Amino acid sequence: MTPCAYLSTPVRFLKMDSRPVQVGRGTRQFTGQFPVLEYSYVVSGKSYTSTRMFCRDSESFKVEWSKVDRFFHDAENGAEVVAWFAPSSPESACISIDAEFDYSLVSHTSSQCRAK
């Protein structure tokens, strides 16, 4: 079995807000609401708090706004959203591994890559 690059653990949202983000160039611009979060999670019995959205830092990110809308809907309605973290640094969790906004629910993550 290949070790997981990231492990997942359910989050509890402590704060959920949004900020306007404008994307596009020239006449094709779109303004959307991007999540601003604070969440807690537990790894090996220890509690952590994070505000990180992306694991990989990037100057730009790619967003499918329908995913952002679905994220707000899922999070506000109690779906079990997970945070991801490298096994060597559980204090550095994030919601989206890549600079392409995406998120996962507990029910959609491999049980092999769930934190204990």
Side-chain angles (χ1 to χ4, degrees):
M1 180 172 75
T2 306
C4 300
Y6 290 89
L7 298 178
S8 67
T9 187
V11 303
R12 183 171 66 85
F13 291 106
L14 305 173
K15 179 179 132 186
M16 186 180 309
D17 204 349
S18 63
R19 65 180 166 89
V21 174
Q22 191 171 47
V23 292
R25 296 174 196 253
T27 58
R28 303 194 74 209
Q29 293 199 2
F30 175 80
T31 300
Q33 295 294 316
F34 200 76
V36 176
L37 310 169
E38 182 178 3
Y39 52 92
S40 65
Y41 58 98
V42 176
V43 177
S44 300
K46 186 170 181 186
S47 184
Y48 298 92
T49 302
S50 181
T51 58
R52 287 183 69 198
M53 197 63 180
F54 299 106
C55 288
R56 297 186 181 134
D57 293 328
S58 176
E59 289 297 312
S60 62
F61 53 88
K62 183 177 179 183
V63 176
E64 284 181 42
W65 292 102
S66 61
K67 286 183 183 178
V68 175
D69 291 342
R70 191 170 64 239
F71 172 81
F72 278 118
H73 178 267
D74 286 348
E76 289 169 349
N77 288 291
E80 287 190 289
V81 174
V82 300
W84 296 96
F85 63 91
S88 60
S89 55
E91 70 283 354
S92 299
C94 57
I95 297 291
S96 184
I97 293 174
D98 294 309
E100 182 173 321
F101 176 79
D102 205 357
Y103 69 99
S104 300
L105 302 178
V106 169
S107 58
H108 299 152
T109 60
S110 166
S111 59
Q112 297 175 160
C113 296
R114 290 186 190 151
K116 303 292 184 235

